Amino acid sequence: MHTGTLNQGTGSTLAIRVDNLTKSFDGLVAVDGISFTIESGEIFGLLGPNGAGKTTTISMLSTMLKPTSGTATVNGHDIVTGEDDVRKSIGIVFQDQSLDEELTAYENMDFHGRLYRIGGEERRRRIGELLALVGLDDRKDDLVKTYSGGMRRRLEIARGLLHEPKVLFLDEPTLGLDPQTRNLLWEYIARLNDETGITIILTTHYMEEADRLCDRVAIIDRGTIIALDTAENLKASIGGDVVTIASPDPDAVAGLLTAPWISGIERHDGSVTIRLQDADRHIPGIVTAIHQSGIGITSLSVRKPTLEDVFLHYTGRTIREEEVSGKEAMRMFHRAGRR
Amino acid sequence: MDIVYTIWLRNVKRYLRSKSRIVGSLGMPLFFMLMLGFGLNSIVSIPGMEEGYMEFIIPGIVAMSVLFTSVSSGIQIIWDKQFGFLKETLVAPVSRLEIMIGQTLGGATTAVIQGLILMVFALFIGLEPAGIVGFLVAIGFMALIGVTFTAFGIAIASRMEDMHGFQLIMNFVIFPIFGLSGALFPINSLPAWLRPLTLANPLTYGVEGIRYGLSGTAQIHPLISLAVMAGCATLMTVVGAYLFRKIST
């Protein structure tokens, strides 16, 4: 058996391999020993609240940050020792805009093409194709500062694809965009993956985005991956449909629901959430039971589980609850990172 | 080389596109030239120089314009940092040295253009060019000032978080450098305790070099000026490149 080099040629269809990757800033651990692999051609999602360590992970994989410990390879190249090869293999759309607003869309693309040493003829051809792909060819000679948020995002994606990367990183690709533009972008991303087979790793804190777009989702919280599977399996893993019963006496309700077909029961202030397969069939029985024991029901809802429920299940919090404290943590990371 | 050219091209394009910046940064040097030049021309005579004060300060004001333009070009990096564009450059498979050199040459080019525009104005108010060679010598020194101080600006920008420190640098570093450079008065007429400061100031040699090119006379031998300016340009580029290597976004 030869060492690592053998794998590099074939890539063994692994686009990314992350092994015990850790990053800490001044003792504050932002990413804590995460490991996962991404198959070539996959759309892989890192889902988690702000400050969970998604962007730090992306920064390490794109060689913008050095890991504190652990290793990772992108397209077969080590992110520390093969920095330049990693950079050539990836395209990246950062969370914050990174266009030159004083240049036109074409000039932004041209600048990028030259930086990645794409020859003149080929550069012009590809810029034309990509701008057409994202529907910006008729505005290509307008200054970027006249562009809307959605147009800028599309331009950044087109730019990230210009040097034909093997892996595309999208850090919160639809953050701050209106729902319509978001939908449009999802379609672009899905079609891109379909047509070119490019591996895409994206971070998001939108459940729907991860659900609709990603082949597999890693749920990340406080620097660790707490669950990783297809969205289907993740939702199935928490035990079927979600029934939320609000009641003046949630404790009593919880005490009543002991039937074996209830696969999970959790109490959140003022309500009880239970999980069960085929909720539709069991609801009448549940309601009757609660009614007969004289406990009131304020409201009752039944729905298919979402990734939000998965997050809640594994962390005991909702992602939205995390938003505020997450931003705090992110600010701390930023400060620490700059020092 | 193509990477350096790419970065250079972006800088020059942005400069040529921002008409208000070009006009805006012509204002102060132009007023200095007109007010000090006309105001003091009749009452100030420079020892050992036949021409009037106007002729004396034109090279100084040209140097000033190059100085201010190049420092702000270097500090532009902070804007790139804040608007996120710097990341796009830093994540590309190119060395930071290439980026830094492209940025430096771009800044120096815009600074020289700015100085040239001012020189054209000066032609109308008393500048009498001493021939094409002298003119080229002046441009050479302008380029060296441009490289030195763009690299200086990049060095500062690499250590600065945001634009808040910009005024501080301008008022407490750049303005004294200008004031103590012999741009506005001959270094020989300074009090003895100030002279070492002036002679330790790289801009002094730049101003003297431009003055030699434009008027044919200088208080410092042009070869000494050339050696000092070339040394400073190299040194500042090395320092700037070193600090830029560690820049974080």
Side-chain angles (χ1 to χ4, degrees):
Chain A
M1 200 181 84
H2 291 273
T3 45
T5 47
L6 243 185
N7 292 334
Q8 283 182 6
T10 58
S12 63
T13 71
L14 268 194
I16 290 179
R17 175 202 295 278
V18 176
D19 194 11
N20 213 10
L21 203 62
T22 300
K23 178 74 193 180
S24 48
F25 300 107
D26 291 344
L28 196 71
V29 183
V31 172
D32 193 359
I34 58 170
S35 303
F36 59 88
T37 55
I38 301 178
E39 302 276 318
S40 176
E42 222 182 338
I43 301 186
F44 185 90
L46 280 173
L47 173 71
N50 289 328
K54 293 171 301 196
T55 299
T56 309
T57 304
I58 294 285
S59 298
M60 284 191 279
L61 292 179
S62 62
T63 76
M64 296 294 278
L65 268 182
K66 293 270 170 285
T68 309
S69 67
T71 59
T73 60
V74 176
N75 196 28
H77 309 291
D78 187 278
I79 56 167
V80 177
T81 59
E83 197 180 86
D84 246 33
D85 290 319
V86 171
R87 290 176 174 206
K88 281 176 198 152
S89 316
I90 62 167
I92 182 162
V93 176
F94 296 102
Q95 185 167 346
D96 303 315
Q97 186 203 302
S98 64
L99 297 162
D100 187 338
E101 300 192 359
E102 303 291 328
L103 298 182
T104 66
Y106 188 90
E107 286 168 337
N108 268 287
M109 295 288 279
D110 189 63
F111 178 84
H112 185 89
R114 287 170 186 271
L115 271 194
Y116 285 77
R117 299 188 167 87
I118 305 169
E121 193 56 43
E122 201 185 352
R123 190 171 66 231
R124 276 184 287 278
R125 180 179 59 77
R126 269 198 236 160
I127 292 175
E129 285 172 10
L130 284 167
L131 286 177
L133 175 77
V134 297
L136 290 174
D137 39 353
D138 52 334
R139 293 283 308 268
K140 69 183 163 71
D141 293 323
D142 293 350
L143 294 184
V144 171
K145 63 179 167 194
T146 66
Y147 276 31
S148 69
M151 292 165 75
R152 289 171 193 221
R153 268 298 187 222
R154 269 143 63 199
L155 176 59
E156 286 187 301
I157 292 175
R159 186 180 66 177
L161 294 171
L162 187 59
H163 54 286
E164 298 186 327
K166 294 278 183 291
V167 182
L168 182 65
F169 290 83
L170 303 172
D171 194 0
E172 298 276 5
T174 62
L175 187 71
L177 298 180
D178 59 87
Q180 201 186 347
T181 314
R182 184 171 296 160
N183 267 305
L184 216 63
L185 263 179
W186 288 343
E187 277 166 34
Y188 278 126
I189 295 169
R191 202 174 78 211
L192 189 73
N193 171 260
D194 241 24
E195 287 173 5
T196 64
I198 189 173
T199 310
I200 297 176
I201 172 169
L202 64 87
T203 74
T204 183
H205 65 280
Y206 296 124
M207 302 297 154
E208 204 191 340
E209 186 159 292
D211 204 351
R212 266 192 53 178
L213 215 49
C214 299
D215 297 318
R216 283 191 306 147
V217 178
I219 297 185
I220 184 168
D221 184 44
R222 297 184 179 165
T224 56
I225 290 181
I226 52 178
L228 195 174
D229 211 325
T230 62
E232 272 321 296
N233 289 348
L234 282 174
K235 287 184 286 189
S237 73
I238 59 170
D241 300 337
V242 182
V243 177
T244 307
I245 304 165
S247 164
D249 192 356
D251 289 322
V253 172
L256 262 177
L257 301 168
T258 50
W261 35 262
I262 291 176
S263 50
I265 183 157
E266 285 165 33
R267 297 227 341 275
H268 306 283
D269 38 26
S271 69
V272 178
T273 301
I274 56 174
R275 292 165 215 287
L276 68 168
Q277 306 294 342
D278 301 322
D280 305 357
R281 289 200 298 121
H282 291 296
I283 286 295
I286 294 172
V287 175
T288 315
I290 296 175
H291 206 68
Q292 279 170 355
S293 54
I295 313 165
I297 294 179
T298 323
S299 73
L300 183 145
S301 73
V302 185
R303 55 190 173 78
K304 298 289 166 197
T306 65
L307 288 175
E308 176 85 57
D309 299 309
V310 179
F311 187 83
L312 181 68
H313 175 76
Y314 284 107
T315 65
R317 308 182 310 277
T318 65
I319 283 200
R320 269 184 297 272
E321 279 168 21
E322 277 296 279
E323 241 34 351
V324 179
S325 56
K327 267 177 196 143
E328 291 293 335
M330 205 164 60
R331 244 173 253 135
M332 280 164 73
F333 288 162
H334 270 285
R335 266 190 229 124
R338 276 177 188 161
R339 242 176 255 134
Chain B
M1 215 41 225
D2 39 355
I3 301 301
V4 173
Y5 169 73
T6 302
I7 311 270
W8 175 87
L9 185 68
R10 167 182 177 249
N11 276 281
V12 174
K13 254 187 193 160
R14 280 180 63 110
Y15 167 77
L16 293 178
R17 206 162 276 175
S18 59
K19 304 277 183 291
S20 60
R21 203 179 122 206
I22 300 180
V23 176
S25 45
L26 272 177
M28 186 152 79
L30 209 55
F31 292 138
F32 259 72
M33 200 147 77
L34 293 173
M35 290 187 290
L36 292 180
F38 285 122
L40 299 176
N41 204 21
S42 51
I43 53 170
V44 175
S45 67
I46 307 293
M49 210 176 158
E50 300 154 30
E51 299 92 346
Y53 185 63
M54 178 65 98
E55 191 83 338
F56 178 81
I57 61 159
I58 285 173
I61 301 297
V62 169
M64 166 189 175
S65 169
V66 176
L67 170 75
F68 280 51
T69 312
S70 50
V71 172
S72 18
S73 298
I75 289 187
Q76 286 288 317
I77 294 245
I78 290 184
W79 286 122
D80 282 350
K81 205 195 268 190
Q82 287 192 334
F83 285 102
F85 187 75
L86 189 61
K87 276 187 188 166
E88 148 79 354
T89 334
L90 292 185
V91 82
V94 299
S95 74
R96 298 214 169 167
L97 184 65
E98 288 171 298
I99 301 172
M100 190 274 175
I101 289 181
Q103 201 78 29
T104 305
L105 294 180
T109 306
T110 59
V112 169
I113 297 176
Q114 200 75 17
L116 282 175
I117 298 175
L118 209 62
M119 262 205 239
V120 172
F121 275 112
L123 285 175
F124 296 101
I125 54 169
L127 175 66
E128 287 162 29
I132 188 78
V133 178
F135 186 68
L136 292 177
V137 168
I139 292 181
F141 276 98
M142 284 155 67
L144 287 172
I145 298 174
V147 168
T148 306
F149 288 99
T150 308
F152 177 77
I154 293 173
I156 299 278
S158 302
R159 302 304 299 269
M160 245 161 60
E161 285 287 305
D162 45 41
M163 288 305 273
H164 296 312
F166 182 69
Q167 280 304 320
L168 200 74
I169 300 290
M170 276 306 190
N171 290 334
F172 287 96
V173 181
I174 301 308
F175 213 78
I177 285 180
F178 166 63
L180 289 171
S181 69
L184 299 180
F185 36 76
I187 47 179
N188 284 341
S189 47
L190 283 175
W193 63 270
L194 257 180
R195 284 200 60 188
L197 269 180
T198 311
L199 290 177
N201 178 358
L203 189 66
T204 304
Y205 302 88
V207 170
E208 285 297 301
I210 298 176
R211 190 166 282 146
Y212 175 79
L214 291 185
S215 65
T217 56
Q219 291 169 301
I220 297 172
H221 192 281
L223 284 181
I224 295 179
S225 297
L226 179 65
V228 173
M229 277 318 292
C232 284
T234 314
L235 182 72
M236 263 338 290
T237 307
V238 171
V239 172
Y242 174 76
L243 292 176
F244 184 68
R245 227 163 47 104
K246 300 181 158 186
I247 199 169
S248 63
T249 51

